[in-house]
Amino acid sequence: MKYPIKYATNPPSKLFEINESEEKFFNTLYSKLSKEINNHIQLIRMGNGTITVDYCGYFIGKIKLQGKNHNMLILTSLSDSYIASDNFIEHINEWVNYINKYIIEK
C-alpha cells in the first residue's frame, strides 16, 4: 500500500499485513481527497488491527478490516458518531464531508 501506516506503540505487539479490503478502502478514500489533504492524512494502526485516521491532528474516524469483525466509526458532528458494519466504501463520503464541514472550514 502506498499510504504509510504507523503503529500506535513502538515496538508494536503484533504486526499486520495490509489486506485487500484495506487497500481498496484507502485507495478510494485518497482518490476522493485533494493532494493537499492527502499529504496531511495520518494512519495509525492499533493493537487489534483497527486503523485510526487523522487529518492535521484532528480525528476523522477509524476502520477495522482485519480479523472477523469489521466496522467503521463515522463522526456525524463534533459531538455525535455511529458505527457502520458494512458497505464501508459507501461511507467514505461521510468522512470526506466531515473533513470539509468541520475541519477545513475552521
Side-chain angles (χ1 to χ4, degrees):
M1 186 159 86
K2 57 187 171 185
Y3 317 111
I5 300 174
K6 298 178 182 179
Y7 280 85
T9 59
N10 190 14
S13 58
K14 181 178 180 183
L15 295 175
F16 291 88
E17 292 291 325
I18 297 162
N19 63 33
E20 186 178 316
S21 296
E22 290 173 329
E23 184 85 32
K24 183 177 178 182
F25 180 86
F26 286 106
N27 282 339
T28 304
L29 173 64
Y30 278 76
S31 72
K32 293 179 179 275
L33 300 171
S34 70
K35 185 176 180 179
E36 175 64 28
I37 292 174
N38 285 337
N39 289 337
H40 292 84
I41 295 286
Q42 184 176 21
L43 307 177
I44 302 167
R45 175 88 67 184
M46 309 306 284
N48 67 352
T50 298
I51 298 176
T52 64
V53 180
D54 293 351
Y55 170 74
C56 289
Y58 293 97
F59 180 71
I60 302 304
K62 62 184 180 176
I63 181 95
K64 183 174 186 295
L65 296 171
Q66 294 278 342
K68 293 179 183 177
N69 298 319
H70 299 167
N71 57 61
M72 178 181 184
L73 177 69
I74 300 166
L75 302 175
T76 56
S77 70
L78 294 174
S79 60
D80 203 13
S81 65
Y82 73 96
I83 295 176
S85 58
D86 59 3
N87 300 321
F88 305 117
I89 299 293
E90 293 175 17
H91 291 291
I92 288 175
N93 286 334
E94 293 176 71
W95 279 9
V96 172
N97 291 340
Y98 182 84
I99 291 169
N100 291 328
K101 184 174 182 179
Y102 292 105
I103 297 174
I104 302 297
E105 290 185 358
K106 280 189 147 188

